[in-house]
Amino acid sequence: MKLEQVVPWGRSLDEYAHMFDLSEAELAAAQILGVGDGPASFNAEMHERGRRVVSVDPIYVFSPPQIRARVEETHDQLVKAASEHHDLFTWRHLRSPRHMGQVRVAAMERFLGDFERGKAEGRYIAAALPSLPFADRSFDLALCSHLLFLYSDQLSDELHLSGVIEMARVAREVRVFPLLGLGNVPSPHLPRLREELPRRGCACEVRKVPYEFQKGGDEMMVVRSSR
Ligand SMILES: C[S@@+](CC[C@H](N)C(=O)[O-])C[C@H]1O[C@@H](n2cnc3c(N)ncnc32)[C@H](O)[C@@H]1O
């Protein structure tokens, strides 16, 4: 399974909680930054619960109709790709490619319903790795889902390394999921990061999580800077 570029495709709070193995206590208390949140409904759903999450993504420069149009294009492309590569996925929570498309569009609708107000409140910020517009240790947790490692062919080794170091600068802990590339291929960037991050003052471990959609994709990377 191949994609030319990173596409906007959004997940829900429930999926974030499982992908990043977030406890209720973490969800209730941690200051959370979502990096590359795109059209995910995580921020909107947390806001509905009275919690403030800050999300960054380069697509936040676009208007809601422009984002909707881009997600709709992605929908057709990804539902077709998931049907053609059905065996690469674990169809449990998402029952079929069609159901996946419906769930992702529902997440986008929830995100779009919150986007303009959230942008005015500083909860959606147009920015991109490897440079985040925040002071050191502004957050307890930075979460990065379906960007690094997944797009191993599209994003360079340097962006992976500098991106994780940048997230570890602005947050006390960084969690990245998944660790597989498209087509469930182990990411070539993972061994390099595991070797290099400790040399840059970042402790790094791989942990199992209670979520698996890409078969074998049930691990996240957890990084903490000691500086
Ligand atoms: C597949 S979506 C994942 C959205 C969300 N994290 C989720 O899992 O539901 C990937 C997102 O990464 C964003 N993106 C691409 N390059 C980026 C970068 N350098 N820094 C931050 N986000 C980026 C894209 O705009 C897109 O919205």
Side-chain angles (χ1 to χ4, degrees):
M1 182 166 163
K2 290 217 175 296
L3 292 172
E4 290 302 313
Q5 53 183 349
V6 182
V7 292
W9 199 227
R11 288 155 193 84
S12 63
L13 165 58
D14 184 60
E15 288 180 288
Y16 267 63
H18 286 93
M19 292 186 298
F20 294 112
D21 203 10
L22 293 165
S23 64
E24 275 303 322
E26 284 168 324
L27 284 170
Q31 296 294 320
I32 300 179
L33 171 70
V35 178
D37 272 350
S41 58
F42 174 61
N43 189 325
E45 291 184 68
M46 287 289 279
H47 185 67
E48 285 164 23
R49 287 181 168 205
R51 298 289 311 146
R52 180 182 166 90
V53 167
V54 174
S55 298
V56 298
D57 197 294
I59 65 164
Y60 299 155
V61 293
F62 297 113
S63 67
Q66 286 171 319
I67 295 176
R68 181 190 300 279
R70 191 69 191 93
V71 174
E72 282 170 359
E73 264 172 50
T74 300
H75 170 277
D76 297 349
Q77 188 187 5
L78 288 198
V79 170
K80 182 166 176 282
S83 308
E84 287 168 0
H85 300 277
H86 198 269
D87 290 351
L88 290 178
F89 303 98
T90 304
W91 297 105
R92 270 198 306 265
H93 164 67
L94 299 171
R95 294 187 298 274
S96 65
R98 193 162 156 263
H99 182 228
M100 172 191 74
Q102 290 165 346
V103 168
R104 298 279 173 264
V105 168
M108 173 200 70
E109 293 297 352
R110 215 157 170 182
F111 153 76
L112 284 178
D114 181 50
F115 178 54
E116 285 183 305
R117 188 171 72 162
K119 206 171 169 179
E121 292 172 357
R123 290 188 288 111
Y124 295 106
I125 297 177
L129 291 176
S131 179
L132 298 172
F134 307 108
D136 296 359
R137 304 280 168 117
S138 299
F139 299 90
D140 298 315
L141 257 182
L143 306 176
C144 182
S145 143
H146 292 85
L147 175 61
L148 298 180
F149 302 120
L150 182 67
Y151 290 95
S152 280
D153 291 347
Q154 293 80 359
L155 304 175
S156 68
D157 206 42
E158 187 43 42
L159 182 77
H160 278 79
L161 182 62
S162 54
V164 170
I165 291 172
E166 177 68 345
M167 289 190 282
R169 179 186 69 78
V170 303
R172 281 167 224 288
E173 182 172 309
V174 179
R175 299 186 189 180
V176 183
F177 178 91
L179 306 183
L180 292 179
L182 291 165
N184 303 355
V185 183
S187 169
H189 305 297
L190 185 61
R192 158 108 201 279
L193 262 64
R194 293 197 75 183
E195 196 179 304
E196 191 59 28
L197 284 168
R199 288 192 200 131
R200 309 287 189 102
C202 294
C204 168
E205 67 172 294
V206 169
R207 247 192 248 163
K208 272 237 182 290
V209 297
Y211 180 96
E212 183 181 10
F213 180 47
Q214 289 175 280
K215 281 185 186 164
D218 60 350
E219 292 178 327
M220 68 173 165
M221 191 172 84
V222 181
V223 178
R224 276 193 211 96
S225 169
S226 51
R227 294 192 175 137

